[in-house]
Amino acid sequence: MLDHLTLAKRIAEEAAELTLRYFYESSRLKVFRKDDNTPVTIADREAELLMRKRIEENFPQDAILGEEYPNKEGTSGYRWILDPIDGTKSFIYGVPLYSCLIGVEKDGYNIAGVIALPATGEMVWAARGTGTFLASPQLAEPQRVSVSQCSELSEALFLTSEVKTFKTTQRERVINLLEEKTYLTRTWGDAYGYAMVACGRADIMIDPILSDWDTGPLPVIIEEAGGKFTDWKGNATHLGKDGIAANAVLHAEVMRIIY
């Protein structure tokens, strides 16, 4: 497991460096539309190819699930879940809150994960039983992090990725109540928001729409930081189609609002 985490961190760092070259030289950025009309850039595709190449060089028997290319089957019981740029829309508009995500499964169980934040230079990672850690240019060495101890919605910072997704999923009541009951609402979203929760900087992060590659590293990172990550039904999964991250007290409060 730790060998996989070590490689995941190295790959995420390489992918981050690759995407930054396009982020700061927008004239090189080519944007395409996928079949579902969501955007994808040359940076997404090149970063995922780089990730896949490094995995196949080091763990050729492992399976791979990525956003941009077909699945690769494996025989080792390990599977990598890759999102080369989580927050492609933000990336296209020059918002520095996008991330590179890598999750690792063993026999279907999420055992390790990395969130690299290229434009901030930060990285958050975890493996089962080791804790969650943050590396930052402002830190002399990585430090262990944990979710906040906030226990009152009225004092909580609530994050989400995109407001209109609550409307498209007929869940406007949820965001309206959370905005009303929490202290502050911001759309510092995508995986950046989950990293904020893991580091105790934000208290609640929820999304009504997610894909498998969005959530690949999230459960282990949130849980090893002392928090709780589930889908909107309360299932502890890294393959849900929606997500909630918070400490246990606030997670329960959010679930009460949802139901």
Side-chain angles (χ1 to χ4, degrees):
M1 176 177 68
L2 294 182
D3 287 344
H4 281 73
L5 176 62
T6 298
L7 180 62
K9 290 163 59 180
R10 179 162 62 85
I11 294 172
E13 186 173 353
E14 287 190 66
E17 291 175 0
L18 186 155
T19 63
L20 276 177
R21 293 199 293 271
Y22 287 100
F23 184 73
Y24 289 117
E25 298 179 27
S26 58
S27 61
R28 301 174 58 206
L29 189 63
K30 296 179 181 179
V31 181
F32 309 93
R33 289 284 172 177
K34 294 190 278 191
D35 291 343
D36 61 1
N37 203 39
T38 58
V40 60
T41 72
I42 188 172
D44 294 80
R45 292 173 175 173
E46 288 188 5
E48 184 168 323
L49 287 175
L50 172 64
M51 290 174 165
R52 287 172 176 264
K53 180 180 178 182
R54 296 290 183 259
I55 293 165
E56 291 174 3
E57 289 171 346
N58 289 271
F59 296 104
Q61 304 307 315
D62 290 1
I64 301 174
L65 167 66
E67 180 174 8
E68 308 304 339
Y69 293 97
N71 296 345
K72 178 200 170 191
E73 299 301 321
T75 58
S76 66
Y78 285 93
R79 182 169 72 155
W80 298 72
I81 302 177
L82 309 177
D83 192 346
I85 296 181
D86 184 66
T88 298
K89 294 175 184 176
S90 295
F91 180 81
I92 290 168
Y93 280 98
V95 178
L97 303 183
Y98 77 95
S99 59
C100 304
L101 305 185
I102 301 178
V104 183
E105 293 177 350
K106 179 66 168 75
D107 299 326
Y109 182 57
N110 176 221
I111 61 166
V114 177
I115 300 172
L117 300 162
T120 70
E122 296 175 304
M123 182 182 292
V124 181
W125 71 84
R128 293 292 174 187
T130 69
T132 299
F133 290 84
L134 166 70
S136 167
Q138 284 70 48
L139 296 173
E141 59 183 31
Q143 69 178 25
R144 189 165 181 171
V145 293
S146 60
V147 296
S148 80
Q149 299 302 306
C150 178
S151 59
E152 300 292 335
L153 283 174
S154 61
E155 299 174 0
L157 168 55
F158 157 52
L159 305 181
T160 190
S161 296
E162 193 171 356
V163 172
K164 72 178 182 181
T165 57
F166 289 85
K167 181 176 182 179
T168 57
T169 57
Q170 291 79 52
R171 288 162 161 173
E172 289 173 283
R173 181 187 66 85
V174 174
I175 192 171
N176 290 339
L177 284 172
L178 282 169
E179 283 190 300
E180 176 187 326
K181 292 178 178 294
T182 54
Y183 177 71
L184 186 64
T185 301
R186 291 290 184 267
T187 51
W188 300 330
D190 303 305
Y192 179 78
Y194 294 100
M196 290 272 285
V197 171
C199 294
R201 300 174 184 171
D203 304 298
I204 302 165
M205 173 71 191
I206 74 172
D207 279 307
I209 300 175
L210 290 170
S211 299
D212 292 346
W213 40 83
D214 297 325
T215 57
L218 299 184
V220 64
I221 288 174
I222 298 297
E223 291 164 14
E224 287 293 319
K228 191 169 184 178
F229 178 86
T230 72
D231 64 16
W232 282 40
K233 295 180 180 179
N235 300 312
T237 177
H238 64 293
L239 299 175
K241 300 307 178 187
D242 41 35
I244 305 167
N247 64 40
V249 174
L250 292 181
H251 188 282
E253 291 295 323
V254 172
M255 291 299 294
R256 276 191 277 272
I257 287 173
I258 290 174
Y259 292 104

